[in-house]
Amino acid sequence: MARGFLVLNLLVGLLLGLLYYEHGPQTAAKSTELVDGVEAAAYEPGAAKPTRAAFVVLVRNSDLRGMKQAMRQIEDRFNRRFNYPYVFLNDVPFTDEFMVETRAMTRANVSFGTIPHEHWSYPAWINQTYAQECRQRMHEQKVFYALSESYRHMCRFYSGFFFRHPLLQDLDYYWRIEPDVEYTCDINYDPFLFMQRRGIKYGYTIALHEYPETIPTLWTTVKNHIAKHPEFVRHPAGMRWLSATDGDTYNRCHFWSNFEIGSLELFRSPEYQAYFEHLDRAGGFFYERWGDAPVHAIAAALMLQKHEVHWFQDIGYYHNPWHNCPQDAQSRLRCHCDPAKNAASHYWASCTHEWLDLPNANTTGSRGMLRRGFTDLEDLSDTVDMPFEKSTYINDPIHGYIRLNKDMLQIIDTPQFQRLRSLKQLGTSYFVFPGGSHNRFEHCIGTAFLAGEVIEGLAQRQPELEISARDIRCVTLAGLCHDLGHGPFSHIFDNKFIPQAMPGSKWSHEMGSEMMLDHLIDDNHIDTLDSSDVSFIKQLIRGCAPHSSDGKMFLFDIVANKRNGVDVDRFDYVQRDCYNVGVRTSYDFSRLMLNSRVIGDEICYNQKEAFNLTEMFHTRYSLHKRVYSHRAGKAFELMMVDIMLIADPVLRISEAITDPRRYQLLTDNIVHDIERSSEPELQPARDLITRIYRRDTYKFVDEYLLPPDQASAISSAVTAAAIVGFRTDNDDFVERDVLINIGRINYGKGRENPIDHVRFYSNYAPNEKYAIDREMISLCVPEKYEERILRIYTRSSDKRGQIQRAARRLVNKLNRDLPATPNSSPPSMTPNRGLTIPDNRTVADSKRRRLLF
């Protein structure tokens, strides 16, 4: 009976697999090929295969270890059953060690070949002196592989010669493999046979955008070739994948060629070879750094129909830093990759979905329209030395590689922006959390990166929004400049110091950012931003603007979202602060970015991200509770405010908020300025700095969570003077000894649930927005979203006990006297027993017990 059920289950599974394979949606993973028993077949080494195919590997002798790793993966995942041969190619002869050890990795046939000299050398028409100058120029602009000659030979070889090697002459298909790559899923079918039976000519796993600095004239050269050889464009619909401007410009989309399975018929065709010869004569492989990936991709897009190019979504693949990982639950059973790291899910980087969205038939466009403007182009020889766009890349611990374009660099490479390197993101919390040493500098760059990703993603997913290049530029620069106006120790300066140094002042760091932006532009003679651009950037930093005449109010939600607080500033600082102080978070901002769209001039999110958003707001609250409002951190904060208040009459710190030249010099280094000073009036400030270094801080006395509806009344009643009024005859503390700190911690929208202000959409109605009740997200969400904390500190550590007892007598009186409000019971502030200081405890006792512990 058991055997019968087992057979029945296998038959049902096989039938469902066949039905799914033949009728499943195109975007779903097709994990097995079940034609003529291919899934269960095993080809013996040396035996005839249903397709004439092989693995093709261009590799150096020094890459042996990485090559063996890649072979081990492809053998375990696929080739131990199918035994397709390997063809290894090198520009020098392979060593005996390489040949022996790679042969030992497989039962399949292995061949080794040397590349002909003419396929791996400078052609006669290349000016090698000029090529060297070009490489040096790219190196100065920090382009990857800028100085490498072998990389350029490799790209040229794969673009125009690999298919001509004698070892490939008897092959119809090839599968390109590189060292150090990973195959993360079992491949239970024959991709070569799959392609042959369906007429597929080119297969890929990852599609990305090429670095613009490497191909500045490639598209010009391609357009030149099309103008002379219109037959190259066999299927014009593919142009829509390469260009959003009817072929005038190139969007840099390409299939990442370190993985490709292809038909050699494509590359052996006269059309492709004429195309390569034209590119080769132009010199861009050596004068620039044209890669084989865009060269192959342009040909595939224009010469093949959509059904002849296949996304192998079901083949798990990793080449640093990108993954292709199947997304369906069935495929995950045979994979070990992380579905969240799938390159195609990163809409801002991937071009895969744009390819899938192409029409299956060439029913739109015309060859004449696609060639518009091609005939009057100048020859590439007149433009080959066109200047490279200035840009650079940085490796950020949060976001990975970030490209800084010329607009960003002209802001970053200024004294006003570099000043941010000397402003700690967490202010005095750094004295408590040693990992919190990061600065406003990297936060602003991260925010700019995310701002660009969000707006470019919206532009790609919703072209109907008509997001312009100016919109993208200004939103990105607003993210970059939004914190230019922060003062020493970040929020301490504008939230604590300025209100005491300049009572009644309404100054904020956002106002400082606008002032510093104007100063930065004027002082560095930046003429690429006109007055309307600058005004627009300031409005984006504020997050509010008058009615937008072009109907793009959603742009003001990206950097500083006043509707609900979901913005890229928060995305970056929450993730960056968690990373640096060691607080774990489970929310994923990249999913929020990918699942956002504009509906009714407002950025909305897919309803499945509701809990993810809730987790983001909770993480913000947690950071405030555990880090930003840490008791010891607040003690350091109070001391730093005192230091600046003492120094203000001498150094005139507060006056700098109206003078950008002086403000430019005002950073956390104000502490060192005070230390270096010999002014006698600054001695008390220097003494406090010494106390900070010795960790002889102001002492925490007591704290109370205030009843929400009575918080304002209690805050007004609990003052240093009021506590002094409850001294006993034996107490000797004075008002100067007492410090009151009122803190407000919430989820980002005061006492309200910020999720109530977010709008969502569903997959079934992507153009309709709606609110989601918190009960629909979870039954474990908070009842309240804000707390007010009253903390008492003292400047005199030996008077802690006196002050605590006096403060508690005051609190008891308030509990009796303050009336109930219409929405609450009478106030009830119960002292925390764990904080009660014994009558006989001294400071020395405290220190001794800490040391003994």
Side-chain angles (χ1 to χ4, degrees), residues 290-363:
W290 294 355
D292 54 282
V295 171
H296 285 191
I298 290 171
L302 298 181
M303 295 178 64
L304 303 178
Q305 297 187 50
K306 179 184 176 182
H307 73 268
E308 294 178 300
V309 178
H310 181 70
W311 176 29
F312 281 105
Q313 182 182 358
D314 57 318
I315 295 182
Y317 177 73
Y318 172 70
H319 183 296
N320 186 34
W322 294 105
H323 298 255
N324 186 66
C325 187
Q327 299 294 290
D328 65 295
Q330 182 181 4
S331 293
R332 292 180 196 173
L333 298 177
R334 57 180 180 81
C335 302
H336 71 262
C337 53
D338 182 355
K341 295 182 178 179
N342 188 42
S345 300
H346 296 276
Y347 283 76
W348 54 270
S350 174
C351 295
T352 292
H353 293 276
E354 286 82 352
W355 179 265
L356 297 179
D357 289 340
L358 289 178
N360 286 311
N362 295 311
T363 56

Side-chain angles (χ1 to χ4, degrees), residues 740-770:
I740 306 297
N741 179 268
I742 306 292
R744 184 193 298 263
I745 302 176
N746 54 51
Y747 274 57
K749 286 294 286 185
R751 296 172 65 176
E752 300 180 59
N753 179 4
I755 294 295
D756 293 340
H757 298 268
V758 180
R759 294 298 175 261
F760 298 88
Y761 67 90
S762 72
N763 292 334
Y764 303 107
N767 295 315
E768 297 178 12
K769 63 179 180 179
Y770 58 92

Side-chain angles (χ1 to χ4, degrees), residues 87 257 728 811:
V87 174
S257 59
T728 65
V811 167

